[in-house]
Amino acid sequence: MSAATQDASAVKLSVKEKIAYSFTDMAGNLLYVTISSYIMYFYTNVFHIPAAGALGAGTILLVARFADAISAVVWGSIVDHTNTKWGQSRPWFLWLCVPFAITVWIAFTAPGLPDGAPKFWYALITYILAAGAVYTGIQTPITAILPNLTSDPTERNNANSFRMAGGQIGSFITSSFTIPLVGWFGVQFGGGDKTGFMIVTAIWGIVAIILLLFSFKNLNERNYHPELNKPIPLSDSLKAAKGNWPWIILVVAFVIYWVAQSTRNGVSTYYAQYVLNNRNLTSIFNGVQVLGLLGTIAMPIIANKTKNKTLTMIIGLVIGGLGQALMPLAGHNVPLLVTFWTIGVLGAAIAIGMPFGMLADTVDYGEWKTGIHAAGFLTAVGSAFCIQVGSGFGAFLPLEIMGAAGYDATKDVQTQAAQDAISFCFIWLPVIVYIIVGVIMCFYRKYEKMEPMIKAELAQRHAKALAEAEQNA
């Protein structure tokens, strides 16, 4: 049997391939978490854009996210139309690694523009380029490539856990070291945080380029057969989504989930600076997220042992919500705050990791039902689209709540109402979101039980189609 016709369900991925896959999300998070965690603070406290209002930072992040969501649909179609000697998803790691680094660096550059519309439009355009157009072009193939690496469900879970671990490490690096390095470089080279952000994002960009080039070189899309996977018109991609209820459920749940994820990351800087009176605690809160690796490691173990991915995700939501709900009991006791925050991090790591692997199964469902293998479109909407829309609301809502409560970035000390608003957004808003997502995911289990039957039928179809293709060659 040739390599092209090898049954992908029998493929066991090497450790090197899993590490290469982990590097994709490590690079993605190294830059994207920098944006999601610090761009609100950068806009309000460095670039001096108001938090709320028509020309405020909240408006920028919401409008940009919806523009980014549209780009997710476009990128899904682009990946489905990609046909190269390197594969369908893999070449995009090569083609977009440098633009990704450059656009993020530009987004954290604060030119001397007048207040008002000039700053608003500069921030909006550069944000759309960095967090939308280019990041989505990286995020889409990261998720779309998983169904093409192997069809084995255990291998998919394991590969996805490597990916999530890589993402956790990338998140840990930027979360732990960005603010201290921004301060250090700002002092060493002058210019304060403005200079510091430019230097740090340039460093993260170079590292991301190296990681993505390694991934491009060492991944192999065994389950991609150009003779079978012809370019798919957008209309056919939409057919693969129509009636794909497990995909629809996952998309709705994941959009809502990212409201919590974005809020937790984005408001942590404000909470540390204005409620706990120590901005550097942001690095501790965000740095502790590396312990999410334990949740990432536990995720495939729980899923493979229980044979229940839906339950695994709900367990993560429960643990994450518990950690968040305990935080008010700590008051200003930093060790207790970090302990409760760590519990939340462990749960969030489990909850956020599951949908990325489950999307591969919804691609199978769509192909089983319609005959259309729309991996690019379905995973782009199921990952990048959800991240962009959910993160948009996760940035807009806190800024509007804080603005309505009287938050003023020009003041070193905020009013009690503003502090209460920051605390609500940082602690309780994620809890509310977790509850909603958990209820929605209960409807997914029905379709998860169908997966063994679907994979068996698809394997038979593929074998028959490949045999016919070889006979006609």
Side-chain angles (χ1 to χ4, degrees):
M1 182 179 290
S2 67
T5 60
Q6 182 182 2
D7 181 4
S9 65
V11 169
K12 303 297 181 184
L13 302 179
S14 69
V15 173
K16 187 175 184 179
E17 287 178 285
K18 292 174 183 175
I19 292 174
Y21 191 45
S22 76
F23 280 1
T24 61
D25 220 29
M26 188 184 301
N29 273 10
L30 190 62
L31 294 179
Y32 184 75
V33 173
T34 300
I35 295 176
S36 63
S37 295
Y38 303 116
I39 201 69
M40 283 198 300
Y41 180 83
F42 177 81
Y43 284 161
T44 58
N45 289 47
V46 179
F47 205 20
H48 302 301
I49 296 175
L55 298 180
T59 302
I60 292 171
L61 298 178
L62 183 63
V63 172
R65 291 299 191 180
F66 277 94
D68 300 343
I70 295 173
S71 75
V73 177
V74 174
W75 272 110
S77 183
I78 290 174
V79 171
D80 281 336
H81 280 78
T82 302
N83 185 359
T84 75
K85 63 181 180 180
W86 298 314
Q88 188 176 50
S89 298
R90 188 164 68 104
W92 292 103
F93 304 146
L94 172 67
W95 296 337
L96 290 181
C97 59
V98 173
F100 187 30
I102 292 175
T103 53
V104 171
W105 178 78
I106 292 174
F108 279 95
T109 300
L113 298 173
D115 292 337
K119 286 187 176 181
F120 175 86
W121 286 108
Y122 177 87
L124 179 64
I125 292 171
T126 56
Y127 186 87
I128 289 175
L129 284 174
V134 183
Y135 169 70
T136 305
I138 291 288
Q139 175 66 33
T140 299
I142 290 176
T143 307
I145 201 173
L146 182 56
N148 290 342
L149 295 177
T150 177
S151 295
D152 184 284
T154 300
E155 285 297 288
R156 282 182 178 178
N157 281 339
N158 293 338
N160 187 56
S161 69
F162 266 78
R163 171 197 171 170
M164 292 296 106
Q168 291 282 354
I169 294 171
S171 177
F172 167 73
I173 292 172
T174 185
S175 298
S176 299
F177 300 111
T178 293
I179 289 297
L181 287 176
V182 164
W184 189 81
F185 282 120
V187 171
Q188 295 299 314
F189 293 92
D193 285 354
K194 177 179 177 180
T195 299
F197 271 111
M198 291 179 65
I199 295 174
V200 172
T201 51
I203 294 171
W204 296 160
I206 292 170
V207 175
I209 290 171
I210 295 171
L211 293 172
L212 288 169
L213 290 176
F214 181 90
S215 300
F216 165 76
K217 181 179 179 181
N218 291 285
L219 289 173
N220 183 6
E221 296 187 67
R222 298 178 183 85
N223 207 19
Y224 171 65
H225 307 293
E227 64 272 29
L228 298 181
N229 300 108
K230 303 297 183 182
I232 303 172
L234 180 58
S235 59
D236 284 350
S237 296
L238 293 174
K239 290 178 182 177
K242 183 180 180 180
N244 192 333
W245 284 107
W247 177 80
I248 293 170
I249 291 169
L250 206 59
V251 166
V252 173
F254 213 27
V255 165
I256 298 172
Y257 175 86
W258 271 93
V259 174
Q261 188 68 16
S262 178
T263 298
R264 291 172 80 249
N265 289 338
V267 182
S268 63
T269 303
Y270 298 94
Y271 187 79
Q273 179 165 340
Y274 298 113
V275 177
L276 301 179
N277 300 316
N278 186 347
R279 187 181 77 160
N280 287 330
L281 287 176
T282 304
S283 297
I284 297 177
F285 280 129
N286 290 337
V288 163
Q289 297 201 66
V290 73
L291 296 178
L293 282 170
L294 299 176
T296 300
I297 294 170
M299 178 183 65
I301 296 173
I302 298 172
N304 292 334
K305 290 289 186 182
T306 62
K307 306 297 181 184
N308 192 328
K309 287 172 279 191
T310 305
L311 177 61
T312 302
M313 184 172 177
I314 291 175
I315 289 172
L317 292 169
V318 171
I319 296 172
L322 177 64
Q324 292 287 129
L326 288 173
M327 289 187 69
L329 300 178
H332 284 67
N333 186 313
V334 174
L336 270 182
L337 280 169
V338 172
T339 299
F340 296 149
W341 177 249
T342 301
I343 295 173
V345 165
L346 293 173
I350 296 173
I352 197 175
M354 289 309 303
F356 290 105
M358 296 162 84
L359 279 171
D361 300 319
T362 68
V363 172
D364 292 341
Y365 184 93
E367 183 181 0
W368 171 73
K369 186 171 183 178
T370 66
I372 301 170
H373 183 81
F377 176 82
L378 294 179
T379 58
V381 176
S383 58
F385 175 89
C386 294
I387 293 171
Q388 305 293 9
V389 174
S391 295
F393 279 108
F396 175 78
L397 289 175
L399 287 175
E400 290 299 311
I401 292 171
M402 289 160 52
Y407 171 77
D408 186 345
T410 64
K411 296 180 179 179
D412 293 331
V413 179
Q414 300 296 323
T415 64
Q416 187 60 49
Q419 292 183 47
D420 291 342
I422 292 170
S423 297
F424 170 79
C425 293
F426 183 63
I427 295 171
W428 293 112
L429 186 56
V431 174
I432 296 170
V433 169
Y434 288 162
I435 293 172
I436 296 172
V437 173
V439 172
I440 294 172
M441 286 306 300
C442 290
F443 295 95
Y444 186 89
R445 178 60 181 165
K446 168 185 174 181
Y447 301 97
E448 184 182 352
K449 293 178 180 179
M450 299 171 60
E451 290 171 8
M453 176 269 291
I454 291 173
K455 293 183 189 302
E457 288 193 15
L458 287 179
Q460 292 178 353
R461 292 186 200 176
H462 294 164
K464 180 179 179 181
L466 286 170
E468 291 176 352
E470 287 183 342
Q471 288 177 359
N472 296 330

